[in-house]
Amino acid sequence: MSLAELTDQRSAVQILQRSLDRGRLGHAYLFSGPDLDLLEVLASNLARTVNCLHPPQAGAGGLPLDCCDACASCRKIQRLSHADVHYLRPESKLRIITIDQVRQLNEAIHLKPGEGRYKVGIIQAADRLNPEAGNAFLKTLEEPPGQSLLMLLSTDPGRMLETLVSRCLVLPVAGETMPRLSPAERKLLDQFIQILATPREGIWTRYRLLGLWIQELAQVKAAVEKELSERSPLRFHDDVDPRLKEKWEDELAAAIEAEYRRRRSDMILLLQRWMRDLWLCGHAIAEPGLFYPELAEPTKAAAGRLGETGAQENVRLLERLHRILETNVQEFLAIEVTCLKMAL
Ligand SMILES: [Zn+2]
């Protein structure tokens, strides 16, 4: 397989090929997306491309734009037996990547390429790096050796150490299945877009955004309370033992909290995906693989204003918000901080 054949990941491939063409490939990428196998295929193809012996095409900067998928180097990488391409996978019962594994990779990456052009490190499920291992890897990310390429793959980048994410070029990779927008989701995104489309000076826009967000969440909470209360046995049995009643009340409160958190998480994911679309549109690709193609026009308009770094920063902020809301942080404060930091 070659990059050209990865039609489902076309937008990610186009971004990578443009960088190859300019001779400006990044040192470290984070490929994120819902399907780890797809991310792995993309990483393997890029590893083959930079090390291909007979590339079908080369860019102005001299780097190959794709791999031949037939030369000795391509075949070795395909068989996982290339001396310069190293893989880290979660091991052990706990399915984590340990500090010892990272140390081995660090050593290998710092050696000069033996048979290829590039030393490549591919970290599968980078969200499984434990903090110790992540910190050990940080130094290599901060000072990568020349002619090296690191690719971190994750289906859940929100769980990664922020210091790692911020040192990578984040490349969202779409899967085959795109979610459809529900009317409620569409309405929320429309409101979000409208606020972003008419920015005003100072913090006015930020607090308008915060207001929208808090109001939406209050509605979600009220809806969850209503739905679950209507289904609770409390509603059908007036005359029960006080202890049983108390138990039912506790159960209802816990169920409401859990369901609310789930819907809140979906809402932030919705914004994350849209912001990722916005980031893709900023790359001026003819047909970026958008999560929400129906919003392409306003998304492009917002992308033009925000620029690539602004959009990327927003993706990162939303990922961070998603992650910290799973801890017991104060919701309002976390969202307020996000609104104050977002690029608008
Ligand atoms: Zn080849």
Side-chain angles (χ1 to χ4, degrees):
M1 197 175 263
S2 62
L3 286 172
E5 290 169 85
L6 303 180
T7 46
D8 289 333
Q9 295 114 296
R10 195 174 46 220
S11 57
V13 166
Q14 283 177 332
I15 291 169
L16 291 170
Q17 285 184 322
R18 266 188 7 167
S19 305
L20 287 165
D21 193 20
R22 294 176 185 159
R24 292 211 327 236
L25 195 65
H27 279 293
Y29 286 92
L30 168 59
F31 296 160
S32 71
D35 185 339
L36 195 59
D37 290 341
L38 281 185
L39 304 181
E40 217 174 311
V41 168
L42 180 64
S44 169
N45 269 282
L46 186 58
R48 266 177 273 164
T49 297
V50 294
N51 282 318
C52 183
L53 301 173
H54 306 296
Q57 211 189 339
L63 284 175
L65 297 184
D66 206 340
C67 62
C68 72
D69 202 27
C71 69
S73 171
C74 282
R75 277 181 290 138
K76 277 187 190 170
I77 296 173
Q78 177 76 3
R79 290 198 307 265
L80 309 182
S81 62
H82 194 287
D84 295 317
V85 180
H86 303 273
Y87 294 84
L88 276 195
R89 295 169 196 272
E91 281 173 11
S92 81
K93 271 190 202 145
L94 295 171
R95 302 256 318 129
I96 54 164
I97 299 174
T98 63
I99 189 164
D100 286 338
Q101 288 176 272
V102 168
R103 282 187 181 137
Q104 282 174 17
L105 177 71
N106 282 348
E107 274 177 34
I109 271 299
H110 278 90
L111 297 172
K112 283 216 159 20
E115 49 180 309
R117 237 176 254 115
Y118 271 80
K119 299 291 285 190
V120 180
I122 299 175
I123 295 108
Q124 274 131 338
D127 43 275
R128 309 299 296 177
L129 281 160
N130 69 17
E132 209 187 6
N135 282 321
F137 189 54
L138 199 56
K139 231 181 128 38
T140 302
L141 273 182
E142 281 171 338
E143 294 163 31
Q147 298 302 98
S148 68
L149 170 63
L150 298 165
M151 289 178 268
L152 288 75
L153 319 181
S154 174
T155 54
D156 194 1
R159 291 192 183 280
M160 287 174 61
L161 284 178
E162 224 183 306
T163 42
L164 288 181
V165 177
S166 63
R167 280 164 182 81
C168 294
L169 291 163
V170 183
L171 194 54
V173 181
E176 286 158 277
T177 48
M178 299 292 177
R180 293 293 307 264
L181 280 175
S182 72
E185 288 174 335
R186 174 74 200 244
K187 188 172 156 236
L188 176 64
L189 284 183
D190 280 342
Q191 286 173 293
F192 213 79
I193 288 168
Q194 204 200 342
I195 292 177
L196 288 190
T198 51
R200 292 204 195 169
E201 287 304 305
I203 61 173
W204 192 85
T205 305
R206 298 177 186 283
Y207 277 94
R208 222 177 126 206
L209 205 56
L210 176 66
L212 168 66
W213 215 323
I214 296 302
Q215 180 196 327
E216 277 296 315
L217 285 174
Q219 282 171 10
V220 168
K221 186 143 212 174
V224 169
E225 275 170 1
K226 184 163 177 286
E227 276 170 42
L228 296 188
S229 302
E230 278 173 2
R231 295 209 306 255
S232 163
L234 284 166
R235 209 173 143 244
F236 307 106
H237 306 278
D238 281 341
D239 205 17
V240 287
D241 176 23
R243 273 173 305 174
L244 183 57
K245 187 165 180 253
E246 200 179 313
K247 181 174 167 278
W248 283 348
E249 282 168 351
D250 287 349
E251 281 174 4
L252 176 61
I256 288 173
E257 177 67 14
E259 179 61 14
Y260 171 66
R261 281 175 171 252
R262 195 184 65 74
R263 292 195 200 177
R264 183 179 66 187
S265 171
D266 285 350
M267 183 172 135
I268 296 170
L269 197 61
L270 174 79
L271 298 177
Q272 260 176 262
R273 285 180 167 154
W274 178 66
M275 199 52 82
R276 170 228 175 247
D277 279 0
L278 198 146
W279 178 77
L280 275 182
C281 284
H283 276 82
I285 298 162
E287 285 180 77
L290 299 183
F291 275 116
Y292 308 124
E294 60 264 59
L295 295 174
E297 281 315 309
T299 305
K300 276 180 199 158
R305 263 193 331 93
L306 269 188
E308 186 178 335
T309 30
Q312 192 172 348
E313 175 63 9
N314 286 352
V315 171
R316 213 170 60 78
L317 280 169
L318 289 170
E319 276 170 4
R320 181 167 183 277
L321 177 67
H322 204 170
R323 187 174 62 236
I324 63 171
L325 281 178
E326 283 179 25
T327 65
N328 279 329
V329 69
Q330 220 252 328
E331 177 188 84
F332 182 87
L333 208 60
I335 296 174
E336 186 180 33
V337 168
T338 304
C339 288
L340 289 175
K341 284 187 179 168
M342 273 177 79
L344 295 176

